[in-house]
Amino acid sequence: MSIWAYVVISCACVAFILLDIRGIRIYRALRDRGISVKARCVGVHPEEKGRHTIVLGFAVDGESYRFREIGFTTPVRLGEEFDALYDPAGYAPPSITSKVTKRRAFPYFTVVCLPLVVAATTAFVNGF
């Protein structure tokens, strides 16, 4: 294995691991620090195949916030209310409660990438 192939494989694996860790931190921020609010639908934008992007708004302590949920499949009307979570520290973007509970908290990329880095390092050291 050439040095450049090893560098590319290692960098890609490290990037996926960091991306995975960031996703898990965002998920945990909403699960641990998230404050429950009622968000009202203020915009519906149709996409392809019956999906919608909805814009939701809520107010906390006199400040108003807006966020988008992409790929929503159920019909939504303007003014409809949803339970949402938002992170007061601002680390994680707000999200509908049902979407937060369905997100994963297991590092799938890490489980695949770490053995790949070990295999690439072994191949590089042994001269394959």
Side-chain angles (χ1 to χ4, degrees):
M1 173 183 291
S2 73
I3 184 87
W4 297 113
Y6 176 71
V7 168
V8 168
I9 290 171
S10 298
C11 288
C13 288
V14 168
F16 276 120
I17 289 169
L18 292 176
L19 181 68
D20 208 22
I21 290 170
R22 182 179 183 277
I24 290 170
R25 286 183 66 201
I26 288 173
Y27 168 82
R28 294 190 87 179
L30 281 177
R31 291 287 303 242
D32 296 343
R33 292 190 308 260
I35 295 176
S36 182
V37 294
K38 289 286 187 185
R40 185 177 304 270
C41 179
V42 294
V44 179
H45 307 286
E47 294 176 359
E48 64 214 27
K49 298 181 183 177
R51 294 179 184 254
H52 304 290
T53 296
I54 59 174
V55 179
L56 299 162
F58 64 94
V60 175
D61 296 333
E63 292 213 28
S64 62
Y65 300 92
R66 285 190 174 194
F67 66 100
R68 291 182 182 192
E69 287 290 343
I70 299 171
F72 216 75
T73 55
T74 57
V76 178
R77 293 184 306 253
L78 289 175
E80 192 172 341
E81 284 191 347
F82 294 89
D83 291 325
L85 290 174
Y86 92 101
D87 180 16
Y91 181 74
S95 185
I96 293 176
T97 305
S98 63
K99 294 232 179 189
V100 172
T101 56
K102 290 181 183 175
R103 288 191 185 139
R104 63 180 174 80
F106 185 77
Y108 293 108
F109 286 147
T110 305
V111 170
V112 173
C113 289
L114 281 178
L116 184 60
V117 167
V118 170
T121 302
T122 304
F124 179 71
V125 168
N126 292 330
F128 288 113

